[in-house]
Amino acid sequence: MDFIPEPAPNLRQLLAFYLEAGVDCTLAEEPIDRLAEPDAPAPVVVARESAPPPPVREMPAATPAVPRSEIAPAPEVAIASAREAARSAPTLEELRALLEKFEGCALRNTATRLVFADGNPKARIMFVGEAPGRDEDIEGLPFVGRSGKLLDRMIAAIGLDRSKAYIANVIPWRPPGNRTPTPQETQICLPFIQRQIELVNPDVLVTLGNPSTQTLLSTREGIMRTRGKWFDYDTGTRTIRAMATFHPAYLLRSPSYKRMSWQDLRAIAKALAVS
Ligand code: URA
């Protein structure tokens, strides 16, 4: 049988392939050849006795494949500087300004903008998700996409709205293509969200989904075990009641868990009523 080669994909097909694979943003204006190596060293020539010595070739200085401004500091350095910066912020405005300037997390280079928070900084209840998605990255506000609409309904179920709640994420920059933040990125951003919680100082903290729950409530248990239970969250200056519940994006995919999430919300409403 004759081998008939596949025609090469055209530009439209290639772009469709990338989109399907989850590539929905570019990282830089120009493509970067990350495989580019400095010139290979000159081949070793086995000289005959009478031949002149081979010319000494100068090695060109290695140029980094990634622009220097995009090279993040070592994680432990970044975590230490995040801790120091977060600790030094006396207000939410200053914390936000510090985050705008913070260069320790490479996610800031690929995100469109910082997504700091939405809602009322004096609210008695604070919700914390994982990281902004595409819609949040565009608008600069947390939970404004489809899962945000469901979060609004969850908040409405306890008789509140965004003017009476404060909403933020553990990670304040969108990871490219909505990939899961790395443990290092999470550790680098952690001091900022911890300080944000301390400054908002809510009566009730609600962690949305597994990553936010495991990071903030220092547990390795999954959301099926942690949801609906009360935890103590220590800000360093006060202990806050904290409850984990399902992430609204998860509820959109698995609506049968909404019933359990309404139970969690009822418990949260009750705690707010008595505290
Ligand atoms: N998912 C999150 O965890 N946070 C957002 O802001 C949006 C979606």
Side-chain angles (χ1 to χ4, degrees), residues 34-68:
R34 291 171 200 274
L35 299 177
E37 291 281 353
D39 279 355
V44 177
V45 178
V46 181
R48 276 182 287 128
E49 234 164 62
S50 57
V56 179
R57 244 181 104 186
E58 252 185 43
M59 290 287 289
T63 43
V66 180
R68 214 158 269 295

Side-chain angles (χ1 to χ4, degrees), residues 190 194 212-221 231-233:
L190 183 58
Q194 286 173 329
S212 156
T213 302
Q214 292 184 337
T215 305
L216 293 175
L217 305 185
S218 310
T219 173
R220 300 185 73 124
E221 299 267 31
F231 287 76
D232 279 344
Y233 177 88

Side-chain angles (χ1 to χ4, degrees), residues 1-273:
M1 205 168 71
D2 283 346
F3 172 70
I4 305 169
E6 291 263 333
N10 61 29
L11 192 57
R12 183 186 291 270
Q13 288 165 327
L14 262 181
L15 287 174
F17 168 78
Y18 285 137
L19 208 57
E20 185 108 322
V23 181
D24 61 359
C25 63
T26 54
L27 300 187
E29 293 293 319
E30 297 293 328
I32 298 168
D33 183 358
R34 291 171 200 274
L35 299 177
E37 291 281 353
D39 279 355
V44 177
V45 178
V46 181
R48 276 182 287 128
E49 234 164 62
S50 57
V56 179
R57 244 181 104 186
E58 252 185 43
M59 290 287 289
T63 43
V66 180
R68 214 158 269 295
S69 60
E70 284 184 26
I71 299 175
E76 56 282 9
V77 176
I79 294 169
S81 87
R83 284 202 187 120
E84 202 182 314
R87 204 180 307 128
S88 74
T91 63
L92 286 168
E93 293 71 34
E94 285 176 63
L95 186 68
R96 184 194 192 116
L98 280 167
L99 259 172
E100 294 276 10
K101 284 192 303 200
F102 184 69
E103 292 190 346
C105 181
L107 289 176
R108 62 168 281 147
N109 299 318
T110 49
T112 310
R113 54 180 58 81
L114 176 76
V115 177
F116 185 67
D118 194 18
N120 185 345
K122 296 197 163 54
R124 293 181 57 218
I125 184 163
M126 176 167 178
F127 293 86
V128 183
E130 182 185 19
R134 187 173 167 274
D135 297 314
E136 291 75 23
D137 182 62
I138 293 168
E139 288 200 31
L141 291 171
F143 284 99
V144 290
R146 271 187 76 220
S147 58
K149 301 283 171 285
L150 181 53
L151 178 61
D152 287 343
R153 285 176 43 213
M154 291 162 74
I155 295 174
I158 52 175
L160 304 175
D161 59 29
R162 285 193 187 221
S163 71
K164 298 193 186 78
Y166 187 84
I167 305 167
N169 283 302
V170 171
I171 308 274
W173 294 282
R174 182 200 183 197
N178 292 351
R179 68 159 168 75
T180 301
T182 65
Q184 281 174 356
E185 288 160 353
T186 302
Q187 287 310 307
I188 292 168
C189 294
L190 183 58
F192 291 105
I193 185 66
Q194 286 173 329
R195 182 71 177 143
Q196 207 169 348
I197 296 169
E198 188 184 355
L199 289 168
V200 175
N201 195 20
D203 290 332
V204 173
L205 172 69
V206 183
T207 55
L208 298 166
N210 238 344
S212 156
T213 302
Q214 292 184 337
T215 305
L216 293 175
L217 305 185
S218 310
T219 173
R220 300 185 73 124
E221 299 267 31
I223 194 71
M224 288 298 171
R225 281 180 181 273
T226 50
R227 61 145 284 270
K229 298 194 184 116
W230 287 107
F231 287 76
D232 279 344
Y233 177 88
D234 187 3
T235 65
T237 46
R238 179 188 166 210
T239 302
I240 292 174
R241 301 190 79 190
M243 184 177 284
T245 193
F246 296 110
H247 193 289
Y250 182 75
L251 293 176
L252 286 172
R253 291 194 301 273
S254 311
S256 60
Y257 290 109
K258 280 184 184 171
R259 200 174 49 85
M260 289 188 209
S261 120
W262 300 149
Q263 286 171 2
D264 303 344
L265 290 165
R266 272 213 304 272
I268 290 164
K270 216 160 139 191
L272 280 174

